[in-house]
């Protein structure tokens, strides 16, 4: 297995959320490729399982918002998902990528943040098993992925399962809009997750000392989500380690001007 470490404190990672989704359809290979083109430090995408247990890159449990089809990913076979089309802004259409395709595209070119979608309350939630986690860890080895990796999820059980199966692969605990950043940090630190990933509004509410408090616990701090360059620069200047954005082009340019002048 290749080196899986994901950053160090102070490295200012610009994370392309679902790829460069401000410019290309989210979670497509085109969006992942564009993220690399514009200089994103890391590329984030989401993973769900099809009816026949294949891992594909899709944010929603239902394919209706982003494709020309309908139905739950878990009720469609891989062949059915692959027949769907995602419309681009330039008139081109795109496939729903498989996890293997996404990893192969990014290997050796960017860090990856793979968000596991097995969320309580969603229609495809599987409480008894973390098959998407298992599929990801298998795919990383099958592809011989080169580069840093983080496994993230809003489901604490998903990141716990990843940590149990592959403790060398860093994990990050995502928390929802209403969860205080301090509570997220306490949980992440207690369960030895290297990253805590609260909502950006909660990071601001926690005050200017919060990034230092995170680092004092031996944890790294990422946050989601901002597309405003000045906001991202301020977050990095305060000590935040990673900022997720739909618009990495603008954030990368702003950070270059602010920190590399």
């Amino acid at each position: 297995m290749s080196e899986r470490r994901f950053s160090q404190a102070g490295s200012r990672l610009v994370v392309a959320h679902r790829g460069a989704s401000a410019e290309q359809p989210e979670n497509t290979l085109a969006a992942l490729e564009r993220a690399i083109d514009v200089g994103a430090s890391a590329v984030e995408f989401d993973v769900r399982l099809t009816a026949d247990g294949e891992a594909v890159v899709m944010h929603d449990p239902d394919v209706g918002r982003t494709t020309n089809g309908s139905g739950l990913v878990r009720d469609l076979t891989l062949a059915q998902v692959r027949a769907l089309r995602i419309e681009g802004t330039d008139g081109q259409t795109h496939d729903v990528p498989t996890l293997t395709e996404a990893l192969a595209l990014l290997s050796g070119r960017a860090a990856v943040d793979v968000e596991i979608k097995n969320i309580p309350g969603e229609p495809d939630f599987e409480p008894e098993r973390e098959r998407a986690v298992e599929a990801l860890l298998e795919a990383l080895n099958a592809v011989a992925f080169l580069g840093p990796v983080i496994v993230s999820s809003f489901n604490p059980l998903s990141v716990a399962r990843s940590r149990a199966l592959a403790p060398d692969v860093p994990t990050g605990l995502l928390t929802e809009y209403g969860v205080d950043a301090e509570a997220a940090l306490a949980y992440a630190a207690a369960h030895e997750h290297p990253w805590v990933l609260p909502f950006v509004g909660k990071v601001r509410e926690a005050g200017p000392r919060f990034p230092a408090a995170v680092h004092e616990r031996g944890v790294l701090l990422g946050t989601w989500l901002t597309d405003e360059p000045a906001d991202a620069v301020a977050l990095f200047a305060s000590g935040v380690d990673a900022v997720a954005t739909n618009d990495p082009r603008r954030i990368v340019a702003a950070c270059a001007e602010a920190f590399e002048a």
Side-chain angles (χ1 to χ4, degrees), residues 36-233:
I36 295 173
D37 291 345
V38 302
S41 314
V43 182
E44 184 266 358
F45 58 87
D46 308 281
V47 171
R48 293 185 184 273
L49 295 183
T50 63
D52 44 353
E54 298 295 331
V56 295
V57 179
M58 177 73 63
H59 178 270
D60 297 0
D62 192 297
V63 302
R65 180 178 64 87
T66 55
T67 79
N68 63 346
S70 62
L72 298 177
V73 176
R74 74 166 186 188
D75 293 335
L76 302 173
T77 65
L78 177 61
Q80 289 172 317
V81 170
R82 296 290 277 172
L84 300 172
R85 305 306 300 165
I86 300 169
E87 185 174 349
T89 56
D90 55 2
Q92 295 185 347
T93 61
H94 305 268
D95 296 323
V96 176
T98 65
L99 170 60
T100 298
E101 287 175 334
L103 291 175
L105 178 72
L106 298 169
S107 181
R109 305 174 71 199
V112 296
D113 173 357
V114 185
E115 183 180 339
I116 301 298
K117 289 295 189 182
N118 187 33
I119 310 299
E122 293 192 345
D124 57 353
F125 176 53
E126 292 185 333
E128 71 283 353
R129 188 173 171 189
E130 293 290 342
R131 292 191 300 147
V133 170
E134 295 165 11
L136 169 59
L137 298 176
E138 291 171 4
L140 288 169
N141 286 325
V143 171
F145 185 84
L146 296 174
V149 176
I150 181 174
V151 180
S152 63
S153 184
F154 289 98
N155 183 353
L157 297 179
S158 296
V159 286
R161 181 60 174 162
S162 179
R163 198 150 174 75
L165 291 174
D168 61 321
V169 179
T171 44
L173 178 68
L174 285 158
T175 51
E176 293 281 4
Y177 301 95
V179 177
D180 288 340
E182 295 94 337
L185 171 59
Y187 189 96
H191 291 82
E192 300 183 332
H193 296 302
W195 283 84
V196 62
L197 308 167
F199 173 59
V200 65
K202 291 300 183 180
V203 172
R204 294 192 197 98
E205 284 181 13
R209 273 280 307 155
F210 183 65
V214 174
H215 296 152
E216 288 166 7
R217 298 290 297 271
V219 180
L220 295 171
L221 175 61
T223 191
W224 63 280
L225 179 89
T226 184
D227 294 336
E228 293 301 323
D231 194 19
V233 168

